[in-house]
């Protein structure tokens, strides 16, 4: 079962791109999770544990079943067995900033236990005890299965938890929005800073605090995401996405995705950032 939706609360819409629940089993043992430059809130309802395994022999990151995955600019290995029943919130770039006391840079590329950021919240217990019914209030009923109604009930709990936990004003920062959109379209850091009337150093300081990644790393990650969403052969896609040449694209792909383009085969067409290995 796979349920994905945008937040229903207008207050959350500027900060959260999607919320979802996945329940099922996968045949493969490990998969690469590709970087998006955004943070995610993860709650494993099958087991009280989450892990992020390095691809380069580094240290495995471990957390209880509810954790914040900070904005990541590099790939990691995950275990699909921990996705047998998992709920998530996918934040927009910089979208996690109002909900957590630490600056985004403090959790970059880290899997941080949620109880360290939201003491006493017990979000995993709240989701696990979500009622199976209640679909009428949540917009269900019209053909939804019992499992889908329960998933929507859990996502409503997630929305309430976010609103309760907000520790900064739920007002989008216009400058961060301009920088994110500019860099995501392929503008350079210098061009983006000029657009805002800032120095590149000033842009980097503000961007790292709110988004987590440096502007340059964010731009590289978002270019990879544009590449994955572009059709055609790799050479034409590289040209369309602003790589100097195909060799440059291959180098970037290997560093940011942990594989060569020819090895890229996502687990489903709608899950471009999950690649079985």
């Amino acid at each position: 079962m796979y349920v994905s939706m945008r937040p229903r609360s207008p207050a959350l819409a500027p900060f959260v791109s999607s919320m979802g629940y996945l329940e099922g089993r996968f045949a493969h043992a490990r998969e690469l999770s590709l970087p998006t430059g955004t943070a995610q809130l993860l709650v494993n309802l099958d087991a009280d544990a989450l892990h992020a395994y390095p691809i380069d022999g580094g240290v495995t990151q471990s957390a209880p079943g509810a954790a914040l995955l900070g904005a990541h600019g590099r790939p990691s290995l995950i275990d699909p067995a921990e996705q047998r029943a998992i709920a998530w919130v996918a934040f927009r770039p910089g979208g996690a900033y109002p909900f957590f006391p630490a600056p985004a840079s403090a959790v970059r590329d880290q899997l941080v236990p949620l109880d360290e950021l939201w003491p006493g919240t017990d979000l995993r217990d709240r989701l696990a005890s979500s009622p199976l019914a209640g679909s009428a209030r949540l917009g269900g009923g019209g053909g939804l299965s019992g499992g889908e109604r329960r998933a929507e009930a859990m996502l409503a709990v997630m929305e309430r938890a976010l609103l309760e936990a907000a520790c900064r004003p739920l007002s989008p920062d216009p400058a961060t929005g301009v920088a994110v959109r500019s860099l995501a379209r392929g503008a350079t850091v210098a061009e983006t800073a000029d657009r805002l009337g800032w120095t590149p150093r000033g842009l980097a300081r503000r961007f790292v605090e709110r988004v987590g990644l440096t502007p340059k790393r964010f731009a590289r990650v978002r270019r990879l995401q544009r590449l994955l969403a572009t059709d055609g052969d790799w050479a034409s896609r590289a040209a369309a996405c602003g790589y100097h040449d195909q060799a440059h694209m291959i180098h970037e792909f290997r560093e940011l995705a942990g594989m060569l383009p020819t090895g890229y085969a996502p687990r489903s067409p709608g899950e471009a950032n999950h690649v079985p290995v």
Side-chain angles (χ1 to χ4, degrees):
M1 180 177 63
Y2 179 88
V3 175
S4 180
M5 65 184 214
R6 296 187 182 278
R8 289 192 171 92
S9 169
L12 295 178
F15 308 100
V16 174
S17 61
S18 67
M19 311 173 70
Y21 177 73
L22 174 67
E23 186 176 296
R25 294 177 181 269
F26 298 93
H28 53 277
R30 293 282 174 90
E31 66 185 28
L32 276 167
S33 175
L34 306 192
T36 63
T38 61
Q40 294 183 62
L41 176 59
L42 303 171
V43 183
N44 181 3
L45 293 162
D46 181 60
D48 192 12
L50 289 165
H51 301 92
Y53 303 95
I55 65 172
D56 56 3
V59 178
T60 297
Q61 296 186 51
S62 301
L68 177 69
L69 179 62
H72 46 298
R74 59 190 182 195
S76 63
L77 281 170
I78 60 176
D79 184 351
E82 293 180 352
Q83 296 185 8
R84 290 173 181 167
I86 191 163
W88 76 88
V89 174
F91 293 98
R92 300 184 187 278
Y97 184 73
F99 304 101
F100 300 96
S105 57
V107 297
R108 177 180 61 226
D109 290 320
Q110 295 184 55
L111 187 64
V112 182
L114 192 60
D115 58 10
E116 293 183 8
L117 302 168
W118 292 350
T121 301
D122 296 326
L123 180 58
R124 186 172 181 271
D125 291 341
R126 291 171 64 181
L127 293 182
S129 61
S130 296
L132 182 63
S135 60
R137 179 174 57 84
L138 295 165
L144 292 181
S145 69
E148 289 169 331
R149 290 197 300 272
R150 183 166 185 266
E152 289 207 358
M154 286 193 292
L155 297 181
V157 171
M158 294 271 265
E159 288 204 32
R160 289 195 295 272
L162 285 169
L163 292 169
E164 292 166 3
C167 55
R168 297 186 177 95
L170 293 181
S171 302
D173 177 44
T176 300
V178 169
V180 163
R181 291 189 295 272
S182 177
L183 293 166
R185 288 195 296 263
T188 67
V189 174
E191 290 168 343
T192 301
D194 284 344
R195 188 167 299 170
L196 289 166
W198 296 352
T199 65
R201 181 174 295 180
L203 169 63
R205 184 168 55 248
R206 178 78 161 264
F207 200 87
V208 166
E209 177 190 22
R210 292 174 178 264
V211 177
L213 304 182
T214 65
K216 185 174 182 180
R217 171 65 67 160
F218 179 81
R220 292 172 63 196
V221 167
R222 299 309 287 186
R223 180 169 56 184
L224 172 68
Q225 291 296 318
R226 294 200 310 275
L227 181 75
L228 299 181
T230 303
D231 295 324
D233 60 64
W234 287 113
S236 62
R237 292 161 76 174
C241 293
Y243 293 95
H244 299 313
D245 50 33
Q246 191 169 358
H248 178 214
M249 182 271 291
I250 291 171
H251 174 80
E252 287 283 282
F253 204 102
R254 191 202 304 264
E255 180 176 346
L256 296 176
M259 69 184 79
L260 293 172
T262 51
Y264 174 72
R267 73 184 185 191
S268 77
E271 298 173 294
N273 294 307
H274 293 267
V275 184
V277 295

